[in-house]
């Protein structure tokens, strides 16, 4: 249990949400594991009153979370691929990257983004500890170091002459138990005129849209611009530009360099966060009650539908789905199956609730009356893919940010 802030070391931590003891959200089970009790960990969330970082208080060893049998493969989302290809194209043009450049991605997963640089002849290096995704990246030609990133690796690569013109870190900073070591590693590896482009889910969207299901043990930190700016400054780095995107329920794309030249985008968001009092406990004080409201409403809807004889399934064996199902308490007695396009998840079972994960073709074969969208952040993509199901009378339950049936 953390007693000091992961970023600034302060002991002034204000607990504002507890989701109880839950299994690891990405700890999908094999059939052989169904008879074995799962280990559960407390999921408590606190604000550091000194640096404004929101964080969970339990640290599960990263080797347990991300190394063997890690089931998340980025390339199974068409929306995410389009998002990252656009990002890569802009970076190639704006940074004038060529065959003499080097793009390094931290937590490069299955090569979903670096493949676009490689396609245009730009040298790349991926770094990711997860065996399966790293192997998948190599099959695409993306050279990948299967390891964790930190200062020592950054020093080694720098000494080997592999300093980076661009460092990409999408949805990984939140996974890091030591954000200072991670950011210092970025500073070491980045060329003096280089840029680090980092994407993180935005804390303000999480709180205002009640996206509590994005809280799980893999996500150790939840970032405001205020907390990020202070973190980078601590390592002589500057957050100079911020862009906001709707992906993953609301995300920030950060542009960080060794030169201090903040644009209006940074100043505006810092001012908005100050006005909203995001660095104080006041901003978070009613969050837990709103989470309880979502739990109550979803429980009532699922219970009413099943009492009426309606059959329910779910879509998206995402980590956020595991948090939602376990916190709300919806299991196999209510949900027949969870469909997911990721072949590495099919044939396994959701942690805690042990609902089987199947290929999406099962949806039309069994035609449940309702699909609970666990991966609600990709609702438009999923609904579009399931048009036939919808046309045949199937309906979708969208739990967050406001419960609705479409």
């Amino acid at each position: 249990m953390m007693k000091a802030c992961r970023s600034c070391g302060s002991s002034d931590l204000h607990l504002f949400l507890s989701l109880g003891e839950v299994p690891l959200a990405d700890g999908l089970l094999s059939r052989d594991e169904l008879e074995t009790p799962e280990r559960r960990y407390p999921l408590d969330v606190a604000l550091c009153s000194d640096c404004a970082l929101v964080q969970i208080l339990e640290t599960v060893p990263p080797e347990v979370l991300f190394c063997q049998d890690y089931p998340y493969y980025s390339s199974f989302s068409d929306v995410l691929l389009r998002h990252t290809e656009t990002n890569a194209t802009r970076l190639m043009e704006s940074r004038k990257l060529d065959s003499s450049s080097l793009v390094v991605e931290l937590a490069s997963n299955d090569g979903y983004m670096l493949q676009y640089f490689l396609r245009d002849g730009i040298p790349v290096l991926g770094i990711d500890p997860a065996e399966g995704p790293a192997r998948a990246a190599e099959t695409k030609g993306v050279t990948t170091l299967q390891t964790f990133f930190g200062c020592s690796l950054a020093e080694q690569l720098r000494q080997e002459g592999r300093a980076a013109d661009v460092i990409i870190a999408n949805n990984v900073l939140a996974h890091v138990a030591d954000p200072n070591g991670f950011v210092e590693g970025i500073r070491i590896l980045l060329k003096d005129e280089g840029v680090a482009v980092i994407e993180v889910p935005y804390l303000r969207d999480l709180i205002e849209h009640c996206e509590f299901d994005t809280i799980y043990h893999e996500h150790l930190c939840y970032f405001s611009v205020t907390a990020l700016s202070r973190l980078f400054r601590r390592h002589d780095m500057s957050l100079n530009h911020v862009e906001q995107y709707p992906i993953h329920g609301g995300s920030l794309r950060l542009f960080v360099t060794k030169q201090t030249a903040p644009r209006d985008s940074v100043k505006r968001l810092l001012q908005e966060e100050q006005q909203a009092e995001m660095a104080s406990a006041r901003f978070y004080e009613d969050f837990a009650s709103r989470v309880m409201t979502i739990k109550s409403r979803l429980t009532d809807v699922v219970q009413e539908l099943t009492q009426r004889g309606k059959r329910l399934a779910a879509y998206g064996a995402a980590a956020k789905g595991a948090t939602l199902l376990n916190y709300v308490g919806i299991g196999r007695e209510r949900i027949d199956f969870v469909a997911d396009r990721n072949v590495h998840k099919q044939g396994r079972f959701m942690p805690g609730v042990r609902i089987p994960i199947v290929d999406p073709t099962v949806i039309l074969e069994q035609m449940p009356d309702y699909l609970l969208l666990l991966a609600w952040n990709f609702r438009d993509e999923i609904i579009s893919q399931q048009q036939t199901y919808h046309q045949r009378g199937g309906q979708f339950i969208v739990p967050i940010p406001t419960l609705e049936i479409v």
Side-chain angles (χ1 to χ4, degrees):
M1 182 73 69
M2 290 288 299
K3 296 187 187 215
C5 174
R6 300 177 189 276
S7 183
C8 74
S10 169
S11 60
D12 192 3
L13 299 177
H14 173 75
L15 178 69
F16 65 86
L17 177 68
S18 177
L19 295 175
E21 293 201 353
V22 297
L24 298 180
D26 273 321
L28 305 181
L29 304 171
S30 67
R31 188 172 295 279
D32 292 341
E33 293 171 315
L34 290 179
E35 303 305 318
T36 304
E38 294 166 78
R39 187 165 179 183
R40 293 173 178 261
Y41 303 84
L43 194 51
D44 300 324
V45 194
L47 166 73
C48 173
S49 298
D50 284 351
C51 76
L53 179 66
V54 168
Q55 56 211 284
I56 66 171
L57 300 179
E58 189 76 16
T59 303
V60 178
E63 295 80 8
V64 174
L65 293 171
F66 302 115
C67 289
Q68 296 182 347
D69 220 17
Y70 186 58
Y72 183 75
Y73 288 69
S74 300
S75 293
F76 283 99
S77 169
D78 297 335
V79 168
L80 185 59
L81 287 177
R82 288 194 296 270
H83 175 78
T84 52
E85 182 177 16
T86 301
N87 185 11
T89 300
R90 284 182 56 195
L91 283 170
M92 285 186 277
E93 294 172 351
S94 65
R95 306 299 297 185
K96 297 181 171 52
L97 302 178
D98 57 29
S99 59
S100 66
S101 307
L102 177 63
V103 177
V104 177
E105 183 173 8
L106 315 179
S108 48
N109 200 262
D110 60 3
Y112 72 106
M113 183 166 184
L114 289 182
Q115 64 181 333
Y116 299 118
F117 295 98
L118 199 62
R119 183 183 63 188
D120 282 22
I122 296 166
V124 301
L125 175 65
I127 301 172
D128 197 296
E131 180 181 353
R135 189 167 55 245
E138 290 279 0
T139 64
K140 298 173 183 173
V142 175
T143 300
T144 304
L145 301 178
Q146 190 187 323
T147 187
F148 289 99
F149 177 75
C151 292
S152 59
L153 180 58
E155 290 279 13
Q156 176 188 328
L157 293 172
R158 184 99 195 190
Q159 290 171 8
E160 293 172 357
R162 292 199 275 181
D165 296 273
V166 176
I167 293 178
I168 295 165
N170 292 335
N171 299 297
V172 60
L173 187 56
H175 294 182
V176 178
D178 176 19
N180 288 296
F182 192 83
V183 172
E184 180 63 15
I186 290 175
R187 187 193 66 76
I188 292 168
L189 185 57
L190 192 66
K191 290 182 180 178
D192 288 344
E193 300 302 321
V195 62
V197 184
I198 302 167
E199 290 191 17
V200 297
Y202 189 24
L203 174 63
R204 184 166 188 176
D205 289 321
L206 185 157
I207 298 297
E208 292 186 344
H209 301 156
C210 212
E211 298 166 358
F212 73 91
D213 58 338
T214 61
I215 297 170
Y216 41 89
H217 292 101
E218 289 88 337
H219 285 174
L220 298 165
C221 301
Y222 304 83
F223 293 105
S224 62
V225 177
T226 302
L228 287 161
S229 180
R230 292 171 180 174
L231 171 61
F232 293 127
R233 281 205 311 268
R234 197 175 299 125
H235 298 275
D236 296 321
M237 302 279 286
S238 177
L239 174 57
N240 290 334
H241 181 49
V242 181
E243 296 173 352
Q244 292 180 262
Y245 292 89
I247 197 163
H248 298 310
S251 295
L252 301 175
R253 180 178 295 164
L254 319 167
F255 294 81
V256 182
T257 73
K258 297 179 180 179
Q259 293 78 41
T260 302
R263 298 187 193 174
D264 288 343
S265 59
V266 177
K267 298 172 184 175
R268 175 180 57 81
L269 284 169
L270 286 172
Q271 184 177 26
E272 288 179 3
E273 290 182 2
Q274 183 178 18
Q275 292 172 345
E277 299 185 278
M278 284 186 67
S280 74
R282 185 191 307 272
F283 183 77
Y284 308 91
E285 61 189 10
D286 71 335
F287 184 62
S289 64
R290 289 189 286 124
V291 171
M292 285 293 295
T293 297
I294 288 180
K295 176 180 181 178
S296 177
R297 288 177 179 169
L298 183 56
T299 300
D300 290 346
V301 166
V302 169
Q303 184 174 343
E304 184 214 346
L305 291 173
T306 53
Q307 285 177 345
R308 287 167 44 199
K310 302 299 183 181
R311 292 180 55 240
L312 277 66
Y315 197 106
K320 59 167 47 71
T323 294
L324 182 83
L325 293 172
N326 280 281
Y327 175 69
V328 177
I330 302 175
R332 293 191 69 167
E333 73 284 355
R334 305 287 190 193
I335 302 291
D336 292 345
F337 59 82
V338 177
D340 199 291
R341 293 174 66 194
N342 186 338
V343 295
H344 304 283
K345 296 182 178 183
Q346 294 165 11
R348 306 181 74 175
F349 297 79
M350 294 294 288
V353 293
R354 307 190 171 203
I355 302 170
I357 303 167
V358 302
D359 187 285
T361 55
V362 175
I363 295 171
L364 292 181
E365 291 171 3
Q366 298 197 14
M367 275 305 296
D369 299 290
Y370 293 85
L371 275 182
L372 173 62
L373 293 191
L374 300 177
W376 52 262
N377 50 318
F378 294 118
R379 61 174 283 174
D380 293 341
E381 177 181 357
I382 295 168
I383 291 173
S384 175
Q385 290 169 357
Q386 296 300 322
Q387 273 301 305
T388 303
Y389 166 77
H390 202 26
Q391 290 165 358
R392 292 183 183 177
Q395 293 183 273
F396 303 93
I397 303 172
V398 185
I400 292 173
T402 302
L403 194 148
E404 59 177 316
I405 297 179
V406 294

